[in-house]
């Protein structure tokens, strides 16, 4: 290779390296959550960021809504659930190609501050074709059920949860992937606590 060709090659490699550095510095905890597929970005599943607009009701705990459109965000207030009292957590998931292409939606409850850790304990997942899967090593749940509905390109998954044990303030991590394994993840810190009903009256 002559010096001119080598200079072009070095320039291309340098440009690619600079782009990756700039992109990495941009993708932080406040960045929008996008689904990734293959070598680039695809608008597959989403918890709030769709093309050039954002919906801010990606998660609802009982009657309170949460904006989960970012890769990581703090809950405006910590939601309280009560032992032996049913509550609902509803996820609103968008898919560009239609909700029939969603394969997996999961909700993890964790005390970890590392957004790459899906769970150090409890998780609830819905899979197309197999339904509900529960991982509950700490015996937190008395019962869990799930119901689904759809409207246009939105799927609504409502998990009805009755806790049977208390839990300190914890994070929620939600994740979804589609038929191409394009995956989306969002972390909501300090989202949830569970206390005994009597504790709220003292």
């Amino acid at each position: 290779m002559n010096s001119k060709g080598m200079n072009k090659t070095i320039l291309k490699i340098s440009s690619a390296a600079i782009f990756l550095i700039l992109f990495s510095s941009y993708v932080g905890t406040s960045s929008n959550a996008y689904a990734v597929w293959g070598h680039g970005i695809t608008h597959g599943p989403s918890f709030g960021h769709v093309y050039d607009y954002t919906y801010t009701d990606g998660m609802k705990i009982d009657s309170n809504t949460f904006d989960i459109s970012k890769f990581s965000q703090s809950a405006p207030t910590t939601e309280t659930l009560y032992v032996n009292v049913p509550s609902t957590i509803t996820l609103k998931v968008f898919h560009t190609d239609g909700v029939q292409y969603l394969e997996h939606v999961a909700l993890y409850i964790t005390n970890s501050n590392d957004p790459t850790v899906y769970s150090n304990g409890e998780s609830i997942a819905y899979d197309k074709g197999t339904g509900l899967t529960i991982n509950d090593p700490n015996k937190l749940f008395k019962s869990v059920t799930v119901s689904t509905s759809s409207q246009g390109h939105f799927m609504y998954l409502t998990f009805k949860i009755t806790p049977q044990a208390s839990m300190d303030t914890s994070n929620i991590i939600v994740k979804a992937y589609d038929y191409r394994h394009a995956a989306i993840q969002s972390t909501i810190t300090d989202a949830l606590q569970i206390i005994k009903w009597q504790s709220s009256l003292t």
Side-chain angles (χ1 to χ4, degrees), residues 124-153:
I124 306 167
Y126 171 82
D127 288 277
K128 182 179 178 180
T130 59
L132 183 67
T133 302
I134 304 165
N135 182 45
D136 187 20
N138 299 311
K139 308 301 180 186
L140 183 65
F141 306 127
K142 183 176 183 179
S143 66
V144 180
T145 60
V146 63
S147 60
T148 64
S149 62
S150 61
Q151 183 177 4
H153 287 256

Side-chain angles (χ1 to χ4, degrees), residues 55-103:
Y55 62 91
T56 59
D57 56 347
M59 184 175 73
K60 180 183 287 188
I61 301 178
D62 291 329
S63 60
N64 295 323
T65 59
F66 295 79
D67 181 353
I68 59 171
S69 60
K70 306 292 185 184
F71 181 72
S72 180
Q73 52 266 296
S74 297
T77 57
T78 300
E79 194 68 17
T80 300
L81 275 58
Y82 298 96
V83 172
N84 293 322
V85 177
S87 289
T88 58
I89 300 177
T90 300
L91 299 177
K92 180 180 179 181
V93 190
F94 175 89
H95 197 285
T96 309
D97 299 333
V99 298
Q100 69 272 22
Y101 294 107
L102 285 167
E103 295 287 337

Side-chain angles (χ1 to χ4, degrees), residues 10-201:
I10 292 171
L11 182 61
K12 288 180 181 178
I13 293 171
S14 300
S15 298
I18 291 168
F19 172 78
L20 288 173
I21 291 168
L22 291 173
F23 182 77
S24 298
S25 66
Y26 171 75
V27 178
T29 57
S30 63
S31 299
N32 292 319
Y34 288 98
V36 177
W37 175 62
H39 299 291
I41 295 172
T42 180
H43 296 284
S46 174
F47 292 121
H49 192 82
V50 180
Y51 300 120
D52 57 352
Y53 83 96
T54 299
Y55 62 91
T56 59
D57 56 347
M59 184 175 73
K60 180 183 287 188
I61 301 178
D62 291 329
S63 60
N64 295 323
T65 59
F66 295 79
D67 181 353
I68 59 171
S69 60
K70 306 292 185 184
F71 181 72
S72 180
Q73 52 266 296
S74 297
T77 57
T78 300
E79 194 68 17
T80 300
L81 275 58
Y82 298 96
V83 172
N84 293 322
V85 177
S87 289
T88 58
I89 300 177
T90 300
L91 299 177
K92 180 180 179 181
V93 190
F94 175 89
H95 197 285
T96 309
D97 299 333
V99 298
Q100 69 272 22
Y101 294 107
L102 285 167
E103 295 287 337
H104 175 88
V105 181
L107 182 151
Y108 304 86
I109 300 173
T110 174
N111 291 316
S112 174
N113 289 319
D114 182 355
T116 65
V117 177
Y118 296 148
S119 177
N120 62 354
E122 277 64 30
S123 64
I124 306 167
Y126 171 82
D127 288 277
K128 182 179 178 180
T130 59
L132 183 67
T133 302
I134 304 165
N135 182 45
D136 187 20
N138 299 311
K139 308 301 180 186
L140 183 65
F141 306 127
K142 183 176 183 179
S143 66
V144 180
T145 60
V146 63
S147 60
T148 64
S149 62
S150 61
Q151 183 177 4
H153 287 256
F154 291 99
M155 174 180 278
Y156 297 85
L157 295 99
T158 298
F159 300 100
K160 185 176 181 180
I161 300 168
T162 302
Q164 65 180 359
S166 300
M167 182 188 71
D168 293 334
T169 300
S170 298
N171 307 327
I172 289 178
I173 299 174
V174 291
K175 184 180 179 183
Y177 62 77
D178 66 6
Y179 67 110
R180 296 174 300 194
H181 286 246
I184 188 78
Q185 177 181 312
S186 181
T187 298
I188 309 93
T189 58
D190 299 330
L192 192 67
Q193 66 174 347
I194 302 173
I195 66 174
K196 293 182 179 179
W197 179 258
Q198 293 83 354
S199 300
S200 67
L201 302 178

